Amino acid sequence: MAALTYPDLQLNHLQGLIPESFGNMIALKYLDLSSNQLDGYHPKYFTNMTGLTYLDLSGIDQFKGSIPESFGSMISLTHLHLLGQQLDGLLQESFGNLTALLTDLDLAFNQLEGFNPCSFGNMTSLEYLDLSKNMLEGEIPTSIWKARTMRELRANNNTLSGELRFAESSSKSCANLSLEYLDSSHNRITGSLPDFTLYPSLKQLLLFANQPSGNVSQSIGQLC
């Protein structure tokens, strides 16, 4: 089936390993295997899928270990959903290869522990990023805010700490002009809150169950 472009196999009872033959379907544009009972895959299967734009492997909890570096070969991806697996370790620098087109990245409900500083800095089209309910530690890296088109960031229910450093300046090249939704609740964020007037598009701000200090920023009242 070398010509197959759009297999949607979600919400079934498929079992076993993803067959090696999937790696030969180089014409694929869309692949959804989410919510099955599959046992795993070999990372090399995705190396030749340079035309794939949508990949959803969510809800297959037998996928363990680090995010495969081979995912960095899928340079046409716009949507990548790896929700609810057993991925762990650091977010790989190879994600930085998914630069031009990736708009939607869902890594929620995994066991990811930290960030590679270069993981997000070149994702210039990223609009939606879900890192919630992992084991992420430390500060949210400034590289995330170089994704100028970011509209929604979910980083709740981790162990993130330190201060929020959304943007270094009010430059129009910063993500602050696009951000509409931010959830960093249930973390260990400390320190004072930033100047929210840098975020004129912000509609929902969820920071409860953290440890910030100081006065309530007057800039919050200037959001409209």
Side-chain angles (χ1 to χ4, degrees):
M1 293 190 292
L4 186 64
T5 61
Y6 194 103
D8 189 341
L9 302 173
Q10 64 177 308
L11 297 170
N12 285 295
H13 299 281
L14 300 175
Q15 300 177 344
L17 294 172
I18 295 176
E20 186 174 357
S21 58
F22 269 64
N24 298 326
M25 294 189 290
I26 59 176
L28 281 183
K29 302 295 183 182
Y30 179 105
L31 176 59
D32 193 339
L33 297 171
S34 61
S35 300
N36 279 285
Q37 301 173 29
L38 296 166
D39 294 326
Y41 62 94
H42 195 290
K44 70 178 182 180
Y45 296 175
F46 300 98
T47 302
N48 295 325
M49 295 184 182
T50 56
L52 191 66
T53 62
Y54 185 104
L55 176 62
D56 193 341
L57 303 175
S58 299
I60 306 174
D61 62 6
Q62 297 300 314
F63 289 179
K64 303 178 182 179
S66 300
I67 298 172
E69 291 189 6
S70 60
F71 279 19
S73 301
M74 296 184 287
I75 57 175
S76 298
L77 277 181
T78 60
H79 294 72
L80 177 59
H81 296 175
L82 302 176
L83 167 75
Q85 301 185 13
Q86 298 186 43
L87 300 170
D88 57 24
L90 297 177
L91 293 170
Q92 300 298 319
E93 185 175 355
S94 60
F95 264 28
N97 294 331
L98 306 176
T99 55
L101 300 176
L102 191 68
T103 62
D104 186 339
L105 178 57
D106 191 343
L107 300 174
F109 289 91
N110 280 287
Q111 301 172 26
L112 297 169
E113 299 171 359
F115 302 93
N116 184 303
C118 300
S119 297
F120 301 101
N122 295 321
M123 293 186 181
T124 55
S125 299
L126 193 62
E127 297 181 6
Y128 176 90
L129 175 60
D130 194 342
L131 301 172
S132 61
K133 298 189 177 181
N134 276 280
M135 301 170 63
L136 296 171
E137 299 179 342
E139 292 188 2
I140 298 176
T142 56
S143 61
I144 284 183
W145 308 108
K146 294 179 181 179
R148 299 186 298 249
T149 53
M150 182 85 70
R151 295 186 181 276
E152 185 168 339
L153 172 60
R154 298 175 182 265
N156 53 288
N157 295 87
N158 283 285
T159 55
L160 296 169
S161 59
E163 296 187 23
L164 288 176
R165 305 179 189 277
F166 297 157
E168 298 177 358
S169 71
S170 58
S171 168
K172 291 184 179 180
S173 66
C174 295
N176 58 336
L177 297 179
S178 300
L179 191 66
E180 298 178 358
Y181 181 100
L182 173 63
D183 188 352
S184 292
S185 60
H186 290 284
N187 280 289
R188 300 175 183 173
I189 294 171
T190 59
S192 58
L193 297 179
D195 182 2
F196 288 99
T197 59
L198 301 177
Y199 301 84
S201 299
L202 194 61
K203 298 178 181 179
Q204 296 189 57
L205 174 63
L206 305 178
L207 296 176
F208 60 89
N210 279 284
Q211 303 168 24
S213 58
N215 296 326
V216 177
S217 174
Q218 295 184 5
S219 62
I220 293 180
Q222 299 175 26
L223 293 173
C224 59

